[in-house]
Amino acid sequence: MPTVDVYTRDYCGYCVRAVHLLKQKGIAFIEHNATRDPQKREEMIRRSGRATFPQIFVGDHHIGGSDDLYAAESSGELDAALGGKL
C-alpha cells in the first residue's frame, strides 16, 4: 500500500474532517502538522501547488483537500489510489 501523507494545521476543521475519514477507513497515514513548521508548509505547497489545508497525497498522487478526499471516497478514486491502480 502506498504511503498516505496528510498536511494539516491546528484548529482546522477541514483537517479534522479529513483525518477522521482516513481513521474511519482504517488507513494508516503520516500527519505533517505545519502549524509551527514553515518548512512543512513550503513542502506542501511545492508538492500540491496549493496553500490551503489539508492536502492529502497517496504516494505521489495528489488527492487534494478535505472536500476532494470525500469526493474521491465517493467515486472510488481513493480506494483505487490506495490499491496502486492510479
Side-chain angles (χ1 to χ4, degrees):
M1 180 181 284
T3 301
V4 177
D5 292 299
V6 182
Y7 291 87
T8 64
R9 65 182 174 94
D10 292 348
Y11 310 109
C12 168
Y14 290 104
C15 299
V16 170
R17 188 172 179 249
V19 165
H20 174 75
L21 175 63
L22 295 172
K23 286 181 178 178
Q24 182 180 24
K25 288 185 61 74
I27 298 169
F29 61 92
I30 300 168
E31 183 172 357
H32 304 276
N33 188 315
T35 301
R36 291 173 209 61
D37 189 346
Q39 291 176 338
K40 283 292 179 194
R41 184 175 186 275
E42 291 302 317
E43 177 183 299
M44 178 194 78
I45 293 169
R46 187 174 51 255
R47 285 184 75 186
S48 69
R50 296 182 183 178
T52 58
F53 289 90
Q55 293 301 317
I56 300 108
F57 293 85
V58 177
D60 291 330
H61 179 72
H62 180 227
I63 297 291
S66 179
D67 291 342
D68 301 314
L69 179 66
Y70 274 82
E73 168 65 5
S74 293
S75 72
E77 177 190 354
L78 179 58
D79 290 333
L82 291 167
K85 298 178 183 168
L86 288 181

